[in-house]
Amino acid sequence: MDADLQNIKKWVILYPIYINSKKTLAEGRRINASKACENPTCAEVYDCCTHLKIPCVIETEKAYPRDFMQRGRVRVMLKKADGSFSNPAITSRKQLMLQVAELVPRHPGRTKKQEAASSAAAGSSKSGKGGKKKR
């Protein structure tokens, strides 16, 4: 395994923008928008890859060339040095992107954010004061 970790430059690169449903194909999305997730982060992609038991590394200083404001990418080892797959269920980059896009919406950090946003929206509703009066 240590020999595989030394060849990180040969690993597959996965930018979060590849699975972002808010982006177009021209902006860098690589999978179908219906299967993509909304605004994934580099940390969420990394956590999903570790959940799939695939060796991966975050590179926070790197950025996608078409959208250099969003920092971070994940390097993933799909194949070991002997040619066997790290996870036999995932044999291509496309399958990896689809699996990660399926897992990101269920990420623990993401579900907490959605619950907080929905409770804040419910609490900010107006009472019936103001506006036009009925006659």
Side-chain angles (χ1 to χ4, degrees):
M1 184 81 169
D2 293 332
D4 291 336
L5 290 176
Q6 292 174 355
N7 292 331
I8 289 179
K9 294 204 180 262
K10 294 183 179 180
W11 290 8
V12 172
I13 295 173
L14 187 64
Y15 288 100
I17 204 164
Y18 288 174
I19 58 172
N20 190 348
S21 63
K22 295 284 185 179
K23 299 293 180 181
T24 63
L25 289 173
E27 291 171 327
R29 181 173 42 84
R30 297 229 176 148
I31 61 174
N32 193 342
S34 63
K35 294 179 181 176
C37 57
E38 192 171 310
N39 297 325
T41 63
C42 188
E44 290 170 344
V45 173
Y46 173 78
D47 290 342
C48 293
C49 289
T50 54
H51 176 75
L52 292 169
K53 301 203 177 12
I54 298 175
C56 55
V57 175
I58 292 182
E59 295 178 333
T60 54
E61 71 282 354
K62 300 295 185 179
Y64 187 63
R66 293 185 208 167
D67 186 17
F68 56 88
M69 294 303 288
Q70 186 178 1
R71 308 296 285 181
R73 71 181 182 190
V74 179
R75 281 203 185 252
V76 181
M77 182 176 70
L78 281 181
K79 284 188 176 182
K80 297 177 185 175
D82 62 352
S84 63
F85 292 105
S86 300
N87 184 345
I90 299 173
T91 58
S92 70
R93 188 181 305 204
K94 188 103 167 180
Q95 283 181 340
L96 175 66
M97 286 187 270
L98 292 170
Q99 291 282 334
V100 170
E102 188 177 309
L103 289 174
V104 166
R106 294 182 285 180
H107 190 270
R110 187 169 280 241
T111 54
K112 289 177 187 173
K113 288 179 192 174
Q114 289 176 350
E115 288 172 4
S118 64
S119 65
S124 67
S125 63
K126 284 187 169 183
S127 60
K129 296 182 179 181
K132 291 186 177 181
K133 292 183 180 178
K134 292 185 180 179
R135 293 185 182 185

